[in-house]
Amino acid sequence: MPDFRPVGVVAVPAGEPLPERPSPDQCGAADLQWLVGRPRSEIPVPVNPATRRVTCTTCPMTEDFSPSRLNILYDPTTDRIRTVRCG
């Protein structure tokens, strides 16, 4: 009989320590929450594209998840920042 588990569930053999969960704020999003509602021009520079993505809320972007990447999303009509999050 197949072993069905919900996606994301990992079986750990008895006696082995559980794997550490990554910090929910590996990218530093908490430190930049003050940007939400501010104009896009207030984003601190320089922006390292390997660790920070700045894009509009309707712009196409990759859907890969990287907990250490900071995403800053702005509204293209108002040019104001809507979201600052990891991913």
Side-chain angles (χ1 to χ4, degrees):
M1 175 175 212
D3 182 18
F4 292 105
R5 289 184 210 134
V7 174
V9 174
V10 177
V12 177
E16 286 190 28
L18 294 173
E20 280 191 39
R21 292 189 134 192
S23 165
D25 189 30
Q26 285 184 4
C27 69
D31 294 338
L32 293 177
Q33 289 303 310
W34 62 270
L35 284 170
V36 175
R38 312 289 294 245
R40 176 171 59 134
S41 60
E42 293 189 25
I43 296 172
V45 291
V47 174
N48 179 348
T51 59
R52 189 182 295 179
R53 175 168 48 190
V54 178
T55 189
C56 73
T57 54
T58 58
C59 294
M61 65 177 154
T62 61
E63 293 187 20
D64 64 314
F65 182 81
S66 174
S68 60
R69 179 177 49 218
L70 178 67
N71 290 298
I72 301 174
L73 305 174
Y74 64 90
D75 185 316
T77 57
T78 63
D79 223 28
R80 298 223 173 239
I81 298 169
R82 301 264 320 262
T83 307
V84 177
R85 61 179 165 81
C86 297

